[in-house]
């Protein structure tokens, strides 16, 4: 069989620990035999980040801006213990945070569904993709522990000195708490554009919800910006595809999501997204079956798994033990990136290959072959056989070639 040829390279961001091991196995077993893989390689593993003083992370994000599609392996976000373990000169920032800031993107998380592992919510038949606005609000708030009686005010002074706003928040008669939050029109607009863009890409409805009836300025601004951008820039494309933009109140959205069949994108404000993504991913089954894609408002894509570097398994691997770490989300990051690259470059074979590889993966699991994390969730008729990561990848390969 002739290998599929590529024209533009994928930006390849390698990572750490167990996922770094899986990364190489996926390439060796399932990609390199079939594709003349063209990548621009960036090693985001912690030793290389230390060596380049994290410049490699910035370079990889810039390359994503240039080429448009990246695939990323999970990486360690250093904490005090990692600084010790890797003898770091600094506690380098989260690579995902750095890349997201440079691309100004939104993260979309979607579960990979298989027959035999059913979502906790019985009505869910299709994936629910969550988009979280990862900027501002309570995550960048200023807080104050009010010690006792006193006046709390909200004050804004314009840079030109002309505008001044002052309003009493509360006249405290006792101790209490106080918090100041903000967001920016530009960030909300980027979030909205990434969401509309991704809804068009994946031909799914987009839902968005806030509490605008209570928060008449703050949340209402989110609602208004979404609606203005939708009407001006995306409505025609949505109509042509037969998809819908649907706005409702957050509590109504939660109720509707639980009663729904799935198959849509749910855009969430920062805190809602933090909470709801954990709820939705747990209800779908396993973090190891969750993909994640960062989409910038101008249509750049970075695909990855939603889980981390699976440290506990890596320490076993280092002792020479075979591990049964689930490679599905990392593999689907590759297929997502290859499909998008094929779409942008007009190489139909790349998209077809990605489809076949995903189908072979799902077929392997549905046939009862899976990594051990899934065995406990399995409700299929065929008895489940828990295998090592490499055995699982080879079972996929066998199906791919069948
Ligand atoms: P994790 O790597 O997601 O793993 C947590 C646990 O979830 C594992 O110990 C394992 O449970 C299970 N798990 C996750 N992925 C799995 C898979 N593919 N197959 C089988 N089981 C899986 O989270 P963590 O241990 O909190 O974080 C480890 C490192 O990853 C940290 O240094 C963190 O900074 C980093 N991280 C990176 C990203 C990213 O790059 N996007 C995201 C999150 C965390 P059992 O041990 O019970 O088998
Ligand atoms: Mg959370």
């Amino acid at each position: 069989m002739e290998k599929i040829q590529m024209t533009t390279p994928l930006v390849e961001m390698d990572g750490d620990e167990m996922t770094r091991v899986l990364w190489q196995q996926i390439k060796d077993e399932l990609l390199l035999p079939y594709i003349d893989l063209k990548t621009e390689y960036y090693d985001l593993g912690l030793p290389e980040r230390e060596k380049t003083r994290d410049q490699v992370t910035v370079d990889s994000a810039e390359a994503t801006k240039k080429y448009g599609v990246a695939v990323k392996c999970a990486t360690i976000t250093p904490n005090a213990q990692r600084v010790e373990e890797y003898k770091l000169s600094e506690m380098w920032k989260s690579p995902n945070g750095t890349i997201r800031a440079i691309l100004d993107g939104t993260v979309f998380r979607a579960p990979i569904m298989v027959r035999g592992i059913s979502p906790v919510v019985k009505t869910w038949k299709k994936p629910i993709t969550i988009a979280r606005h990862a900027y501002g609000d309570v995550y960048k708030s200023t807080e104050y522990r009010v010690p006792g009686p006193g006046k709390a005010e909200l004050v804004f002074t314009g840079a030109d000195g002309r505008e001044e706003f002052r309003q009493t928040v509360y006249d405290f008669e006792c101790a209490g708490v106080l918090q100041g939050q903000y967001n920016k029109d530009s960030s909300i607009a980027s979030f909205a554009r990434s969401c509309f863009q991704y809804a068009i890409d994946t031909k799914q409805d987009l839902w968005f919800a806030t509490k605008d009836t209570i928060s008449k300025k703050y949340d209402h601004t989110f609602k208004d910006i979404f609606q203005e951008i939708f009407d001006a820039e995306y409505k025609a494309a949505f109509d042509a595809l037969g998809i819908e933009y649907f706005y409702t109140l957050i509590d109504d959205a939660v109720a509707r999501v639980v009663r729904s069949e799935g198959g849509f994108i749910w855009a969430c404000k920062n805190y809602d997204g933090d909470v709801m993504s954990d709820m939705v991913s747990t209800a779908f089954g396993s973090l190891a079956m969750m993909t994640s894609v960062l989409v910038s408002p101008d249509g750049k894509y970075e695909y990855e798994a939603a889980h981390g570097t699976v440290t506990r398994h890596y320490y076993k691997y280092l002792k020479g033990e075979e591990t049964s770490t689930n490679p599905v989300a990392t593999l689907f990051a590759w297929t997502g990136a290859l499909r998008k690259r094929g779409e942008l470059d007009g190489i139909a074979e790349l998209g077809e290959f990605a489809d076949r590889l995903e189908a072979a993966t799902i077929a392997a699991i549905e046939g009862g072959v899976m990594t051990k994390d899934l065995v406990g969730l399995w409700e299929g008729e065929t008895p489940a056989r828990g295998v090592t990561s490499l055995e699982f990848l080879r079972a996929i390969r066998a199906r791919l070639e069948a």
Side-chain angles (χ1 to χ4, degrees):
M1 211 180 79
E2 279 210 5
K3 288 193 188 184
I4 301 166
Q5 297 297 314
M6 295 176 65
T7 47
T8 319
L10 276 180
V11 177
E12 175 182 355
M13 304 170 174
D14 207 344
D16 288 299
E17 302 194 311
M18 206 58 223
T19 39
R20 187 181 180 97
V21 176
L22 294 176
W23 193 258
Q24 194 58 48
Q25 291 178 346
I26 289 169
K27 284 171 65 181
D28 290 343
E29 292 292 326
L30 295 172
L31 303 176
L32 294 169
Y34 310 103
I35 304 174
D36 202 3
L37 197 64
K38 235 187 186 176
T39 73
E40 194 163 289
Y41 181 84
Y42 293 87
D43 185 358
L44 267 52
L46 194 46
E48 188 65 18
R49 277 183 275 151
E50 166 70 14
K51 208 172 117 194
T52 63
R53 304 196 55 78
D54 210 23
Q55 184 60 37
V56 65
T57 307
V58 174
D59 292 347
S60 74
E62 293 298 341
T64 307
K65 272 190 169 170
K66 177 174 166 197
Y67 293 114
V69 187
V71 56
K72 180 179 170 291
C73 180
T75 46
I76 292 169
T77 298
N79 54 18
Q81 184 251 320
R82 299 297 197 165
V83 169
E84 179 71 18
E85 182 183 355
Y86 283 82
K87 306 276 171 262
L88 302 180
S89 57
E90 259 179 63
M91 200 183 288
W92 306 111
K93 282 194 267 183
S94 148
N96 286 44
T98 303
I99 296 166
R100 197 165 58 217
I102 292 173
L103 292 177
D104 187 21
T106 296
V107 174
F108 296 82
R109 269 186 171 202
I112 299 153
M113 296 179 76
V114 294
R115 269 192 308 269
I117 299 176
S118 24
V120 174
V121 180
K122 288 197 298 277
T123 53
W124 291 356
K125 303 274 183 285
K126 296 180 217 156
I128 295 170
T129 301
I130 292 217
R132 171 179 172 189
H133 181 215
Y135 182 81
D137 300 354
V138 68
Y139 302 86
K140 284 269 160 75
S141 65
T142 305
E143 298 194 327
Y144 181 60
R145 178 80 176 99
V146 176
K151 187 202 248 330
E153 290 178 295
L154 189 62
V155 179
F156 173 82
T157 316
D160 60 8
R162 279 201 295 265
E163 173 80 14
E164 186 178 293
F165 173 86
R166 178 180 294 268
Q167 195 173 311
T168 302
V169 175
Y170 192 64
D171 269 316
F172 281 92
E173 73 285 0
C174 62
V177 283
L178 188 65
Q179 183 181 66
Q181 293 188 29
Y182 74 92
N183 222 302
K184 300 194 296 188
D185 284 10
S186 57
S187 175
I188 301 166
S190 290
F191 175 49
R193 288 195 175 92
S194 294
C195 291
F196 291 128
Q197 178 67 46
Y198 197 63
I200 291 169
D201 282 347
T202 59
K203 301 183 186 57
Q204 297 185 90
D205 290 345
L206 177 71
W207 295 19
F208 181 46
T210 72
K211 195 73 184 178
D212 66 281
T213 46
I214 299 296
S215 172
K216 291 190 166 61
K217 294 240 160 58
Y218 201 108
D219 278 21
H220 214 292
T221 297
F222 280 77
K223 176 185 180 183
D224 291 344
I225 289 176
F226 263 70
Q227 194 63 51
E228 281 158 23
I229 290 178
F230 177 69
D231 291 339
E233 299 172 31
Y234 295 95
K235 186 168 189 316
F238 270 54
D239 288 348
L241 287 171
I243 58 174
E244 201 189 338
Y245 168 55
F246 173 60
Y247 177 86
T248 187
L249 287 170
I250 184 67
D251 38 353
D252 180 50
V254 170
R256 283 172 189 266
V257 165
V258 172
R259 287 195 310 262
S260 78
E261 269 200 5
F264 54 88
I265 298 163
W266 184 11
C268 291
K269 283 183 63 199
N270 207 350
Y271 179 81
D272 299 336
D274 184 351
V275 176
M276 291 303 155
S277 65
D278 284 315
M279 194 270 286
V280 169
S281 65
T282 307
F284 269 106
S286 165
L287 194 59
M289 297 290 280
M290 188 70 63
T291 58
S292 173
V293 53
L294 177 75
V295 181
S296 77
D298 57 345
K300 314 288 185 213
Y301 299 78
E302 183 236 290
Y303 294 83
E304 66 171 329
H307 59 76
T309 59
V310 211
T311 311
R312 205 181 62 84
H313 295 211
Y314 183 60
Y315 291 154
K316 283 190 172 179
Y317 169 85
L318 288 180
K319 284 191 213 143
E321 288 175 46
E322 283 274 2
T323 71
S324 182
T325 316
N326 191 334
V328 172
T330 304
L331 176 55
F332 275 55
W334 275 101
T335 52
L338 289 167
R339 184 182 292 110
K340 177 56 76 180
R341 193 67 269 166
E343 211 178 286
L344 295 176
D345 294 349
I347 305 172
E349 292 88 340
L350 271 182
E352 285 156 16
F353 176 76
D355 291 346
R356 283 199 291 125
L357 188 47
E358 289 181 0
T361 306
I362 288 169
I365 300 172
E366 291 181 346
V369 182
M370 62 197 77
T371 45
K372 290 189 179 132
D373 55 306
L374 299 182
V375 172
L377 303 169
W378 183 247
E379 296 173 339
E381 273 156 33
T382 353
R385 193 155 61 85
V387 298
T388 66
S389 304
L390 201 54
E391 284 168 341
F392 179 64
L393 292 173
R394 290 191 175 139
I396 297 171
R397 185 167 179 179
R399 286 185 187 260
L400 188 66
E401 292 189 348

